[in-house]
Amino acid sequence: MDKIAYTSVNTMQTLMKRQTAIANNMANSNTVGFKADMVSAEAKYLNGPGHDSRALAVERDMQADMKSGSMTQTGRPLDIALEGDAMLAVQTTDGKEAYSRRGDLRIAASGAMVTGDGFPVLGESGPVTVPPSDRVDIGADGTVFVVPQGGDPTQPQEVGRLKLVSMTGSAISKGSDTLFHVADDGQLPADENARVVSGALEESNVNMTAALVDMIETSRAWETQAKLLRSAEELDESSASIMNLPQ
Amino acid sequence: MSNAALQVARTGLDAQNTKMRVIANNLANVNTTGFKRDRADFATLSYQNIVTPGAPSDAQNRFASGLQLGTGVRLSGIGKIDTQGTLQNTENAFDLAIEGGGFFQVERPDGSTGYTRAGNFNLTAEGNVVTSDGLPLIPAIQVPQGATAVTIGNNGTVSASLAGQSEISELGQIELANFTNPAGLLSVGNNILTETAASGPAQVGEAGAEGRGNIRQGSLEQSNVNIVEELVNMIETQRAYEVNSKMISATDEMLQFVNQQI
């Protein structure tokens, strides 16, 4: 008996994972700074005696689509959009450095500046904290200015500078905490020329039309595999019936 | 049977639904005095690791990128957007607007202090200054009967000319409260906010000093909701909702097809 059924089932499992990744992109179509995931499969040949017909599709690789999302004007001083390939350094829950394109910053109760999903933002020397202040502004080069409480609004004071890095030429990958990491706790080089736009946000870069087309394609591929499974069953049935002795 | 693609699309529907509710609330409050609009912030749910990047692929080599499947989206918070609303001139002596930061303090029925930007105050039969819901202002201001020309200065000083007196008398001082993180205040309805651990303690004092705004008598602060912006957000949310529900029906059809074929 041919093991065609196993090839189909394997492909169907792969397709369902792909569908999950597309669903996740769609679910995050309104998440600030989200980078779409791209899943690719590779062929795994099972060589053995007979015809080499056994190539299983294995989901192996996932990369984030790093192209920029569209920028939306919000007017909120703590919203920043990163220009070009710049990334914002943030601190992970275990104290390491990771990177994000999320620019909806806020001030936590402790005074620490955090991203919209709660990771402390790193400055050039550790996490950025902001004293009680009347106003916080972020300059185009990532410098954080505050007007202290009761201070002169025309004389903002510098309290630090966001650590902006460049991702060009480095291999980064999305971790399970949704942040971007360099392998082996490495760090990206700081970029003196990185620029941010204050009062704007980078939207999710999920292309809805492409996601819908991918979704339909995956559904149809799934149906083809299911049909193949059905054919395998029929083949088995007919070969079994040949063996039947005439009654 | 639980199917990941279905569950992931469901998180998308939930999140977009909540965002729609936030937008509906903003639109409903487009004419509420002193209302500050909310913004729903989304965050990606944690990824499920299937192949860790950097894991060895054989004795010499390592996987350059991993395989992680996302598990959807969640609402990370609903933030208040604290921009100043437009001031509308009403000529009413007890309509007060704050130009800049700070909140009026009012005494809630349970005795705790509430904070509000809605400055549409009134007088009770006893002459106390109260909100439109009847909550008294802190510190309490009482306007005696027969008082005319009640004036409230930019710094909150309340004065009036009393019957039978030629001099203008000072009736009290309205104090404002300011917070390190006003976005961390808790909305309890009726335009009232309360202090939380996230907002930090209230810093109470004279208006117009230490970062507190000036009080403008005879004006009201309008809601800071921008209708056009909310409508655009609404359309965007609606489309995102649609696409997630399409994913649910597509995955459902896939499973249905298998059930029929095999």
Side-chain angles (χ1 to χ4, degrees), chain B residues 113-125:
Chain B
T113 308
Y115 303 91
T116 183
R117 296 272 300 183
N120 45 341
F121 293 103
N122 296 295
L123 287 185
T124 60

Side-chain angles (χ1 to χ4, degrees), chain A residues 16 19 24 27-28 30-31 37 60-62 79 102 107 116 134 149 174 176 184 208 222-223 229-230, chain B residues 3 8 16 39 42 46-47 62-63 65-66 68 70 72-73 76 181 203 211 243 254 257-258 261-262:
Chain A
M16 196 46 101
Q19 194 75 320
N24 186 53
N28 284 293
N30 270 341
T31 306
D37 297 320
R60 235 298 303 139
D61 194 38
M62 192 182 77
D79 283 344
R102 246 194 117 108
I107 311 294
D134 293 345
Q149 256 174 3
K174 214 186 255 187
S176 54
D184 298 325
M208 279 292 203
W222 167 279
E223 289 176 9
L229 213 53
R230 174 96 188 103
Chain B
N3 179 283
V8 170
Q16 303 300 343
R39 181 173 80 185
F42 291 166
S46 66
Y47 275 67
R62 306 209 287 168
F63 289 122
S65 59
Q68 286 124 350
V73 67
S76 61
N181 178 23
Q203 295 133 16
V243 86
M254 281 163 74
F257 189 83
V258 170
Q261 284 287 318
I262 303 165

